[in-house]
Amino acid sequence: MQKTQAESLVKSFSKILALTALMIVLLWLLFKVANILLLFTLAIVFALILNGPVSWLEKKQIKRHWAALIVFGTIFLVASLIGWLIFPKIFQELRNLFLSLPDYITRLTTTVSGWFSNYPDISKEIARNGSDMSQWLPSAPKMFAQAQNYSAFLLGGLFLFILFVSIVGYAVSRPRGLLELYYSFFDLEKREKAQVALLHTSKMLIGWIRANLIGGSIEAVCSTIFLSIMNVPGAWVWGALTLVAELIPNIGFYIMAIPPVLVAFSVGPFTAMWVLIFYVVLNQIMGTFVMPRLLASKMNIHPVSTLFMLLVMGAAFGLIGALLTVPVTAIIKAYYEAFYKINQEKDVMLEKRIDKVIYQSPS
């Protein structure tokens, strides 16, 4: 009897160990492929967005694969034009900046030291620190030589980009197989809700793109005008960069602001300071007043939900997670409303309950 109990305990313990080992292996695999899964999710999001114009062209009696080719070709031409205009300008101005930075630091140090001319000790200390700082700067040839060491990283990124474009292309041009797989995950009685949720997701994602294009256009015009007034080289190029950067939540601010601020140093340090202040103020105005209203009108998503998801996705998955913030929020909202909220009994007193909480009225 005791031997049988001991064997049973050993078997149970062995099963627990096996299950634990299996869970560890699965979690390890999930950790390893998390970025790939996120990249695949981002590809599906782009496929849902691009399905709109492709389907519109298909309704105009254009075969779907030709319609997809037209849409992808247009995007490629626009992206190539923007890249051709922006990147050479960025590299040229950065090179000039690195070559001129020691001189800028010397001039800035002299100016700041002059402010403390009545305090000789402080003035000498500022001048000494400025001289030391210029010696810390790496030479331009060394900086560009180090950039060559990233060739392998760039090749890996290029491979992932080609894979990403291929997934989007096949998903847009041949969507039926993917949709059959999607519906297979749901029972027959739930497929109507799955259809509603997917349609709602697609509409919100298209609304997200439209809202960002409108907001980005406003920022691009404001940036171009201000940079032209400040005589910053390539003002219209940085305006185009602003339009593209607006599509990236929050991180887009740094993409649109850092290059023109660096270039503004070629005009002078105080010009760079004013450009930085301009972008900070513009970002605050757009983020606080304009974009929330645009997103609310196009997607009906509360700004707090988006900011919460940005914190979660950014902390968990980095840059790709930040890119997926709005799409994931839209997906969660669409499926929550289709599968859960629709089954809730309508509360005719809801508005009054909300007012009582806001205005702290217990009765």
Side-chain angles (χ1 to χ4, degrees):
M1 184 72 177
Q2 292 179 351
K3 185 177 180 180
T4 304
Q5 290 179 347
E7 290 177 351
S8 177
L9 286 173
V10 170
K11 288 181 179 179
S12 299
F13 187 68
S14 300
K15 288 182 179 179
I16 292 172
L17 283 179
L19 288 173
T20 303
L22 180 62
M23 288 296 297
I24 291 173
V25 171
L26 289 175
L27 288 173
W28 178 80
L29 286 173
L30 183 62
F31 174 77
K32 287 295 184 181
V33 302
N35 287 334
I36 301 300
L37 292 176
L38 285 173
L39 191 66
F40 179 78
T41 303
L42 186 61
I44 297 300
V45 166
F46 271 85
L48 288 173
I49 293 171
L50 296 180
N51 179 66
V54 171
S55 297
W56 181 81
L57 289 173
E58 190 178 15
K59 291 176 182 178
K60 300 295 182 180
Q61 307 304 316
I62 299 175
K63 290 185 177 181
R64 189 168 185 89
H65 62 275
W66 286 114
L69 187 61
I70 291 172
V71 172
F72 273 85
T74 303
I75 294 173
F76 176 76
L77 288 176
V78 173
S80 299
L81 178 62
I82 293 175
W84 177 70
L85 292 173
I86 290 176
F87 287 110
K89 191 73 176 177
I90 290 177
F91 291 140
Q92 177 187 350
E93 295 298 337
L94 284 178
R95 183 177 180 279
N96 294 337
L97 175 63
F98 281 121
L99 292 173
S100 306
L101 202 53
D103 181 55
Y104 291 152
I105 290 176
T106 301
R107 286 162 50 192
L108 182 62
T109 302
T110 303
T111 301
V112 175
S113 178
W115 296 345
F116 296 92
S117 56
N118 295 329
Y119 304 92
D121 293 337
I122 298 178
S123 181
K124 290 179 181 178
E125 185 66 20
I126 292 173
R128 185 179 65 81
N129 290 335
S131 177
D132 293 341
M133 190 182 300
S134 63
Q135 297 175 5
W136 295 343
L137 295 172
S139 62
K142 185 181 294 186
M143 290 290 294
F144 287 102
Q146 291 176 353
Q148 297 176 358
N149 297 328
Y150 295 98
S151 58
F153 174 78
L154 293 176
L155 288 175
L158 179 62
F159 172 76
L160 287 178
F161 176 75
I162 294 173
L163 185 62
F164 174 83
V165 173
S166 300
I167 293 173
V168 176
Y170 280 115
V172 172
S173 60
R174 301 178 184 178
R176 293 190 176 276
L178 286 175
L179 289 173
E180 288 178 4
L181 178 63
Y182 167 74
Y183 282 121
S184 69
F185 289 109
F186 300 93
D187 296 331
L188 286 175
E189 64 272 12
K190 294 183 179 179
R191 290 186 180 180
E192 183 68 27
K193 294 180 179 179
Q195 173 185 317
V196 171
L198 191 58
L199 284 172
H200 192 193
T201 299
S202 180
K203 289 179 181 178
M204 283 196 291
L205 291 176
I206 293 173
W208 168 56
I209 292 296
R210 289 175 178 171
N212 279 278
L213 287 175
I214 294 171
S217 298
I218 295 172
E219 289 182 321
V221 171
C222 294
S223 300
T224 303
I225 294 174
F226 179 81
L227 295 176
S228 299
I229 294 173
M230 299 298 293
N231 294 319
V232 176
W236 61 275
V237 174
W238 310 127
L241 179 63
T242 299
L243 176 61
V244 176
E246 182 56 41
L247 297 174
I248 306 174
N250 282 48
I251 298 176
F253 165 74
Y254 301 99
I255 296 174
M256 74 174 71
I258 291 176
V261 169
L262 292 176
V263 171
F265 271 103
S266 64
V267 180
F270 290 102
T271 301
M273 181 188 70
W274 283 114
V275 171
L276 177 60
I277 292 173
F278 164 77
Y279 274 104
V280 171
V281 172
L282 179 66
N283 182 66
Q284 289 298 316
I285 293 174
M286 295 297 296
T288 305
F289 301 104
V290 180
M291 290 308 300
R293 294 189 179 185
L294 286 173
L295 289 174
S297 64
K298 301 294 182 181
M299 300 180 66
N300 195 25
I301 294 179
H302 198 282
V304 172
S305 302
T306 306
L307 291 174
F308 172 75
M309 287 303 299
L310 177 65
L311 291 173
V312 173
M313 297 294 290
F317 305 111
L319 177 60
I320 298 180
L323 289 172
L324 282 169
T325 295
V326 176
V328 168
T329 307
I331 291 170
I332 293 173
K333 181 177 186 294
Y335 282 82
Y336 168 78
E337 291 180 349
F339 283 89
Y340 179 74
K341 188 175 181 180
I342 196 172
N343 296 324
Q344 287 184 330
E345 184 179 352
K346 187 174 181 180
D347 187 358
V348 295
M349 297 289 293
L350 182 61
E351 291 298 326
K352 291 184 178 180
R353 299 183 201 280
I354 293 173
D355 288 339
K356 287 181 179 179
V357 172
I358 293 174
Y359 301 110
Q360 300 181 3
S361 175
S363 57

